[in-house]
Amino acid sequence: MRPLVVTLLLLLGSGGSVLADETPPTAAVVDLGDIRGTAADPDAIDDLPNPPELRSSDGVLEATLTARPSRIRVAGKRFRSNVYNGLYIPPTLVLGRGDTLRLKINNEIGPADVAIKKTMRTNVHYHGTDVSPKAPGDDVLLKVKSGTSFNYVVPFPADHPEGLHWYHPHAHGVVEPQILSGMSGMLIVDGYLEAHYPELAPLRRRVMVFKDIYLPEQDPSSAITKTLNGYSNPPIKARPGEWQVWQIGNLGADGFFKVALHGHEFWTIERDGNVLPRAEKQKVLFLSPGARTTVAVKAGDAGAYTLRSLALDTGPQGDPNPEVTIGTLMVAGDPKPTRGLGERLRDEPAASKKTIVPRAKDIRELPITRERVFTFSETADGNSFFINGKQFDENVVDTTVRVGDVEKWTLRNTSGELHVFHLHQTAFLVLDKAVGKQEDVAGLRDVINIPYARDGVPGEVTVIIPFTNPVMVGKFVYHCHIVGHEDAGMMQIIRVLPRRTAAEDAWRMFGRMLGSDAPPPWWPERARSAARLPEADEFAAAMRGEICVADPADEPDQASLWISGKGPVAAEAPPIVAR
């Protein structure tokens, strides 16, 4: 794939003349003027184009992303913004189970017309993927300094969930301006249509990237501008009766998309990188920041149908989210019926269901190891955000679990606006019951909307998290995926330790026989003292950042106990900085 990457970079050039600036085709389309202005409009297009695509070859996907100010066109306006490889909608990365992603990030971020006025550190997060959180993998605590590069090596397990994921920066404190600038793209673990819905595999596939942006001179207190593949209300062509597969992602920073297609319905076959065991019919797709879905759509009779993002009540403290038209389905030409496909989606489950992992029914049956409550809150002025009364501290591990644990978390929102929970490295099962008005859907997810408080009653969502995959051993984060909230403190660190050793299990069994819960004698004294605390007290202390217990035999290079504000017992390794 390296020659393809080099070719792409040569086409993009280094002097600011980028593909996004090239005049797209202007072939006449019925009613195009009503959608995009006159045919002479340099932003007019014949049909919505997919983003460029890079695919793995021989089990490896090699790619280079250069983040730098580039001259682009978004929603009909031309300006400079920091984007990847000169593109507001950068390449879709496509690989398969068992493949390895080798991605080089070059940090050339600098002053631009929107969002960013100086150089910044950066990194790349592979959202929704079940891969290692340790460098050179998906380590979001890693920082790539301005003017430097870093080479990621991210192996995807052979049983990795298939579907839509995405990539974006995750350097705390500057995530929002970088995503708002346009630094995000789709990542697909492919093969799921062929394996589970083979009838859909031959259909036309559209990669549809929703983003939000404040255009130059746009009032930041107004509703944010929303685009589809960088366009404002582009035409989406189909023939009467034609079925298409739409691979949709909200890859923006803060905005919600509540998507409806006039006169049509969606058959959802995948959500947040998890294939559904049976297709679900939906009239509206709720996509909070970070959410993705794959749907099948059957075009109706000839005509024009609006694709809208409906108005959403984000709460009295929330940002405005009015209804906007984000595209128009243009149905014309000779009919293209596909017999039996609607009945197949309605009546038959996914093929090869046993190879769909994880599965909601399996997680639902797992015994719960521990239950926790996480409260999302903010100050009245909306400038500071908290989880359990704390703001993010990269030197404190807030939650510790072991491989094999299965936990039930109650996510509680006491604020007057929506928050969006996201956990790295694994999907979780969202239970049907929620407190408050829930716009989102349950099931296997990696982002979930948390309803805002009403009349003093917090909104709540309950999730079951299977910490069962050994690949997740290490440190990563959970946070609100309205990334402005994340940057302002609404994030915490979780450490996943390996399974307990046979010696530990034997010690615990021996202790139970003697009626003792004493920790193993080979643990350091302070770790043993902390482990003797009652469960609730230990958890509360960890939430306050006072302690965090880990077994030194698991990760000898890491501290076994941290005391916030008093100096570490053993110095923790500093965050990796690429040089």
Side-chain angles (χ1 to χ4, degrees):
M1 293 302 296
R2 189 181 299 275
L4 178 58
V5 176
V6 172
T7 301
L8 177 62
L9 292 177
L10 289 173
L11 287 172
L12 295 177
S14 59
S17 177
V18 299
L19 289 180
D21 282 344
E22 293 182 359
T23 303
T26 56
V29 175
V30 176
D31 293 329
L32 180 60
D34 294 337
I35 303 173
R36 301 301 309 283
T38 68
D41 181 351
D43 226 22
I45 54 173
D46 177 71
D47 191 11
L48 178 72
N50 276 355
E53 182 179 277
L54 298 176
R55 283 187 171 266
S56 61
S57 177
D58 297 326
V60 177
L61 172 55
E62 294 201 34
T64 298
L65 296 177
T66 299
R68 64 169 182 257
S70 303
R71 192 157 180 80
I72 62 173
R73 189 196 308 277
V74 177
K77 293 188 178 296
R78 189 187 295 269
F79 54 94
R80 287 179 65 82
S81 186
N82 283 275
V83 294
Y84 292 131
N85 295 359
L87 295 168
Y88 182 66
I89 306 296
T92 298
L93 306 180
V94 184
L95 39 72
R97 286 176 161 178
D99 287 352
T100 295
L101 172 63
R102 296 180 178 273
L103 186 145
K104 181 180 182 180
I105 177 69
N106 300 316
N107 183 0
E108 299 177 14
I109 294 172
D113 297 332
V114 295
I116 295 175
K117 302 300 181 185
K118 60 182 181 180
T119 61
M120 290 180 172
R121 64 194 184 280
T122 192
N123 58 22
V124 182
H125 167 50
Y126 306 94
H127 180 121
T129 60
D130 292 18
V131 297
S132 173
K134 298 180 179 181
D138 187 25
D139 182 357
V140 298
L141 302 178
L142 175 151
K143 299 178 178 66
V144 183
K145 296 194 300 184
S146 177
T148 68
S149 302
F150 185 79
N151 293 299
Y152 287 94
V153 180
V154 188
F156 283 69
D159 61 350
H160 192 284
E162 297 168 296
L164 306 184
H165 309 280
W166 62 299
Y167 59 91
H168 65 83
H170 212 296
H172 178 66
V174 292
V175 181
E176 183 184 42
Q178 293 183 21
I179 296 181
L180 279 177
S181 295
M183 294 167 60
S184 62
M186 194 77 84
L187 188 160
I188 302 176
V189 180
D190 212 3
Y192 60 103
L193 291 181
E194 292 79 0
H196 307 299
Y197 293 92
E199 297 84 356
L200 302 180
L203 302 181
R204 179 174 183 177
R205 303 187 199 184
R206 294 185 180 272
V207 175
M208 305 174 78
V209 173
F210 296 146
K211 289 190 179 183
D212 50 7
I213 188 171
Y214 285 107
L215 297 170
E217 301 179 0
Q218 182 177 351
D219 183 356
S221 65
S222 64
I224 199 164
T225 298
K226 294 182 177 180
T227 64
L228 169 54
N229 288 2
Y231 296 96
S232 175
N233 190 16
I236 306 162
K237 293 182 67 174
R239 289 159 57 183
E242 179 185 359
W243 283 87
Q244 296 184 359
V245 173
W246 293 3
Q247 297 172 302
I248 306 172
N250 180 356
L251 311 191
D254 302 312
F256 291 81
F257 288 80
K258 188 177 178 181
V259 181
L261 178 61
H262 179 71
H264 293 71
E265 295 176 318
F266 305 101
W267 282 100
T268 301
I269 62 174
E270 177 267 351
R271 193 178 288 126
D272 284 0
N274 294 282
V275 176
L276 300 181
R278 182 179 291 272
E280 298 177 5
K281 183 183 284 189
Q282 293 184 263
K283 290 185 177 181
V284 176
L285 305 174
F286 183 83
L287 296 170
S288 58
R292 297 87 60 210
T293 188
T294 301
V295 299
V297 180
K298 180 183 179 182
D301 296 332
Y305 304 88
T306 55
L307 182 67
R308 297 168 294 155
S309 180
L310 303 178
L312 176 68
D313 176 15
T314 62
Q317 286 185 280
D319 295 328
N321 202 91
E323 178 173 323
V324 295
T325 297
I326 50 179
T328 300
L329 179 65
M330 305 294 296
V331 182
D334 296 331
K336 188 179 181 181
T338 303
R339 295 183 181 276
L341 188 52
E343 291 76 9
R344 155 68 177 95
L345 293 171
R346 183 191 64 205
D347 299 334
E348 298 180 36
S352 305
K353 286 198 299 183
K354 291 184 178 180
T355 64
I356 298 175
V357 291
R359 294 187 295 179
K361 73 179 191 67
D362 296 333
I363 295 174
R364 196 181 299 272
E365 295 171 357
L366 294 172
I368 302 299
T369 307
R370 192 180 206 178
E371 297 190 14
R372 307 181 193 252
V373 177
F374 294 87
T375 299
F376 291 69
S377 62
E378 62 185 271
T379 53
D381 61 9
N383 292 327
S384 300
F385 296 82
F386 309 88
I387 299 179
N388 285 352
K390 290 178 53 184
Q391 291 197 295
F392 178 68
D393 183 344
E394 68 176 12
N395 297 309
V396 174
V397 176
D398 303 278
T399 302
T400 303
V401 301
R402 282 190 182 273
V403 171
D405 289 350
V406 179
E407 300 204 346
K408 179 185 287 187
W409 289 12
T410 298
L411 311 171
R412 182 171 295 157
N413 183 0
T414 61
S415 76
E417 68 172 311
L418 300 180
H419 294 298
V420 179
F421 175 74
H422 172 52
L423 172 71
H424 290 204
Q425 318 312 136
T426 185
F428 46 78
L429 177 63
V430 179
L431 302 184
D432 294 329
K433 184 179 179 181
V435 178
K437 184 180 179 181
Q438 177 59 286
E439 300 276 359
D440 218 338
V441 296
L444 281 175
R445 304 297 306 275
D446 62 45
V447 291
I448 186 65
N449 175 65
I450 314 176
Y452 62 83
R454 293 171 179 263
D455 301 321
V457 179
E460 285 188 3
V461 174
T462 302
V463 301
I464 297 176
I465 305 173
F467 296 100
T468 52
N469 190 342
V471 77
M472 70 174 67
V473 168
K475 289 195 303 183
F476 48 95
V477 295
Y478 51 89
H479 58 89
C480 177
H481 217 291
I482 300 174
V483 293
H485 299 178
E486 170 199 328
D487 278 344
M490 196 171 267
M491 181 163 72
Q492 292 188 340
I493 292 177
I494 182 170
R495 178 191 293 277
V496 177
L497 300 172
R499 292 183 183 274
R500 295 190 184 278
T501 64
E504 287 177 315
D505 286 338
W507 178 266
R508 287 195 165 199
M509 182 180 299
F510 180 69
R512 282 196 296 268
M513 293 172 58
L514 298 179
S516 170
D517 60 356
W522 55 86
W523 283 18
E525 172 55 34
R526 287 182 178 176
R528 284 184 280 134
S529 297
R532 294 189 189 100
L533 290 172
E535 194 81 3
D537 290 345
E538 178 183 349
F539 176 62
M543 287 295 96
R544 293 193 301 268
E546 295 172 354
I547 66 167
C548 178
V549 181
D551 183 351
D554 292 326
E555 298 185 23
D557 60 323
Q558 303 293 336
S560 59
L561 178 67
W562 293 261
I563 303 179
S564 180
K566 302 177 183 179
V569 173
E572 185 179 12
I576 295 176
V577 178
R579 302 185 184 278

